Amino acid sequence: MKNWAGNLTYGASALLEPTSVEELKEIVAAAPRIRALGSRHSFNQIADIDGVHVSVARLPQSFTVGETPDELTVPAGLRYGELVSELDRRGLALHNLASLPHISVGGSIATGTHGSGDRNGSLSSAVNGLQIVLADGSLMNIRRGDDGFEGMVVSLGSIGVVTYVTLGVHPTYAVRQDVFENLPWSTIHEHFDEITSSAYSVSLFTDWGDRGASSVWL
């Protein structure tokens, strides 16, 4: 099995896809070496292991309003393209999103995926709570403010297998995107902070050639 780009072959002996949390707990408790695998959108071997991979993509796709009306608990295996559709149906949105729709919520959070924008926290900053299956198969629920919470959110998969994520949400809002092409390196160097803070979300795309940024999305 390979990653999304096809440039990395995983060494795990199998990929297990439980359909319930109880089944997942049994798998984790029985496996000598196991690691959760998200949507495989990684350029390195951080998700690889010489044991077995487990995916939470087939766990029940349930959505639960959290302890307060401004949070929603979602499956960790959900992809952002699926998540935003569910949020919009409820009149809700996240403060920041991944650049691509096909990467998973749990994997993106665990690896510190950033989204974009000087004033926006990374995707993990929206997390208010986690449900995690630990190495012995027990289930842990942890909330923002609990001891060790931050380290468990961006854990690189080292704590356990995250099953569900509670996210802080906001009322839905409209976004306009402006795209500027062929911004020279000289302009980027001279006005970098001004450019990156010029909109709610800013992305610069380049092939690192002499032309500078082929496009800037605001």
Side-chain angles (χ1 to χ4, degrees), residues 66-90:
E67 294 182 4
T68 63
D70 58 352
E71 61 181 28
L72 188 71
T73 298
V74 305
L78 196 69
R79 307 197 177 209
Y80 274 94
E82 301 165 331
L83 173 59
V84 293
S85 297
E86 178 65 26
L87 289 172
D88 189 62
R89 189 179 67 81
R90 297 168 178 260

Side-chain angles (χ1 to χ4, degrees), residues 100-202:
L100 300 169
H102 58 271
I103 57 180
S104 67
V105 173
S108 302
I109 288 167
T111 52
T113 300
H114 51 80
S116 59
D118 280 8
R119 297 183 296 274
N120 294 329
S122 67
L123 302 179
S124 64
S125 65
V127 178
N128 288 344
L130 297 171
Q131 183 186 84
I132 309 173
V133 175
L134 303 178
D136 62 358
S138 63
L139 199 62
M140 166 187 277
N141 289 283
I142 188 166
R143 295 274 307 175
R144 181 177 296 279
D146 292 343
D147 187 40
F149 173 78
E150 289 79 5
M152 291 188 179
V153 175
V154 185
S155 66
L156 306 180
S158 62
I159 304 298
V161 181
V162 175
T163 55
Y164 291 90
V165 181
T166 301
L167 299 170
V169 293
H170 307 271
T172 190
Y173 53 90
V175 174
R176 186 184 97 179
Q177 178 173 273
D178 296 309
V179 177
F180 298 86
E181 297 181 331
N182 302 318
L183 190 65
W185 284 123
S186 58
T187 302
I188 295 172
H189 291 159
E190 185 176 354
H191 302 283
F192 184 79
D193 288 340
E194 183 181 351
I195 292 168
T196 59
S197 63
S198 61
Y200 184 80
S201 176
V202 179

